[in-house]
Amino acid sequence: MTRNTRNNSNDRFPGAFAPEDDDDLPKSKSQRKRDMTALQDLGVELEALAKDRLARVPMPEALSDAILAARKITSHEGKRRQMQFVGKVMRGLDDDEVAAIRAALDGFKGTSKAETAKMHLIERWRELLLADDANLTKFLGEHPGLDVQSVRNIIRNARKEKEMSKPPKYYRELFQAIKAALDAGQPDEPADKPETPEEPEA
């Protein structure tokens, strides 16, 4: 009698001892913590965005309001508490909403890579122009609209200030002159184009 009851237990609970599907398993405590941290980090990225970029990120109004509120807080502790609230709001988003936010941020990062590459190009041209006057002829060949005399003066002054260990005023002016020439040679861009690179502090 006891044997039959034991043998029939699987009939009363079909599949009770079959391997469980991983998708149906509850997340471990450590996995939940990692997910929460990832969302918290995502919130920090959103809060740090430039205003125009933040406006282009698709997100629910509740999240937008929470992030805008965080941006207005100046105290460290107040900001920390508000960012915790931002994380809480984000944990209430569905997967599609989180994916849309991630996609927007990834798009901005791609733009940032292009901006960085452009800045490196400007810096490379600056070093070439300062190193040899022959490089100015090459640069003029690619950017014929450049004010030659003005750039010559900037280059000469940048060399002098470097020799005399003066503040890099003309060194930075040369960066801006090269940047303007590169921008002038590009096709018209839409009105909401991303921010152009600025020279980093020396």
Side-chain angles (χ1 to χ4, degrees), residues 112-153:
S112 296
K113 289 180 182 178
E115 292 170 354
T116 300
K118 181 178 180 180
M119 186 179 69
H120 288 166
L121 175 61
I122 296 171
E123 291 175 339
R124 187 160 62 249
W125 266 119
R126 177 169 59 181
E127 296 308 315
L128 289 171
L129 294 176
L130 289 173
D132 192 337
D133 288 336
N135 291 321
L136 179 56
T137 302
K138 181 178 180 181
F139 189 76
L140 290 172
E142 297 181 13
H143 306 281
L146 191 68
D147 185 339
V148 183
Q149 191 56 45
S150 175
V151 173
R152 285 188 189 278
N153 289 335

Side-chain angles (χ1 to χ4, degrees), residues 122-123 125-127 129-130 149-179 199 202:
I122 296 171
E123 291 175 339
W125 266 119
R126 177 169 59 181
E127 296 308 315
L129 294 176
L130 289 173
Q149 191 56 45
S150 175
V151 173
R152 285 188 189 278
N153 289 335
I154 294 173
I155 292 173
R156 183 170 59 252
N157 289 327
R159 288 171 178 167
K160 286 182 180 179
E161 68 186 9
K162 183 177 182 180
E163 291 173 0
M164 301 175 69
S165 300
K166 289 185 175 182
K169 174 184 175 182
Y170 291 101
Y171 186 74
R172 292 183 176 181
E173 281 192 20
L174 183 56
F175 180 96
Q176 296 300 331
I178 297 169
K179 176 176 172 295
E199 182 184 10

